[in-house]
Amino acid sequence: MKEKIIEFLRAAFPFLLTIGLWRLSDPFWNPAGVLAIIPIFVCSFVRPVNWFPIFSILMCLVIDYKFETVCYWIAMYCLFFAINGFQSFIDLTRMDKYAILMFMIFCGVVLLIQLIVNFTFANCVRAVWIFSWCSALYLPITMLIQRVRND
């Protein structure tokens, strides 16, 4: 019985972590729960988890809700999901350091598009901060997910 509970918690950990990171939103440290993008990226592309893409779309919707954007994060996630599905020479599951470079490209493009649409100095600083913070926390969060799941 104890093993089944531990197995269930290991399987549920990425889902719970994503919800937790979204709920821990703070205007400075985690604006609109954007840190939830890290487990969404990892569990959808780098170390795929069953049923996670459907959950990721739902989480992108709630990030859009808090960011006050209309389906922006959902569109970017679906675009990257489609690009990843059609590619044949880049395998995210075998990249070094949990594909941090691809995450930085994903996050950078998303934030750059948001910055171009509404360019102000404050938005520029905010985009640089979000990009830097997400990139710095990517490896620790990813290693935590892998350690708990025993992958």
Side-chain angles (χ1 to χ4, degrees), residues 2 5 7-8 15 20 24-27 29 33 37 41 46 59 79 81-82 106-107 111 116-117 139 142 144-145 147:
K2 180 181 173 183
I5 293 172
E7 184 180 322
F8 171 76
F15 298 92
L24 291 174
S25 64
D26 179 70
W29 295 107
I37 287 294
F41 184 86
V46 181
M59 289 309 297
L79 177 68
F81 195 83
F106 169 73
C107 193
L111 292 172
I116 289 171
V117 169
L139 284 178
T142 303
L144 177 66
I145 292 169
R147 182 152 306 188

Side-chain angles (χ1 to χ4, degrees), residues 14-27 29-40 55-68 73 141:
F15 298 92
L16 297 174
L17 179 65
T18 306
I19 292 170
L21 286 173
W22 176 73
R23 289 288 298 151
L24 291 174
S25 64
D26 179 70
W29 295 107
N30 190 9
V34 75
L35 289 178
I37 287 294
I38 296 171
I40 287 171
F55 177 75
S56 297
I57 291 172
L58 176 67
M59 289 309 297
C60 286
L61 177 69
V62 294
I63 291 171
D64 278 328
Y65 173 74
K66 276 202 172 184
F67 246 119
E68 296 179 3
W73 287 95
I141 291 173

Side-chain angles (χ1 to χ4, degrees), residues 44-46 48 79-95 102:
S44 294
F45 304 118
V46 181
L79 177 68
F80 198 81
F81 195 83
I83 291 170
N84 186 47
F86 288 122
Q87 59 82 24
S88 61
F89 60 93
I90 297 175
D91 187 8
L92 293 180
T93 60
R94 295 188 181 161
M95 290 186 82
M102 293 309 283

Side-chain angles (χ1 to χ4, degrees), residues 111-125 127:
L111 292 172
L112 182 65
I113 292 171
Q114 270 189 332
L115 180 63
I116 289 171
V117 169
N118 189 13
F119 187 80
T120 64
F121 180 72
N123 286 344
C124 185
V125 170

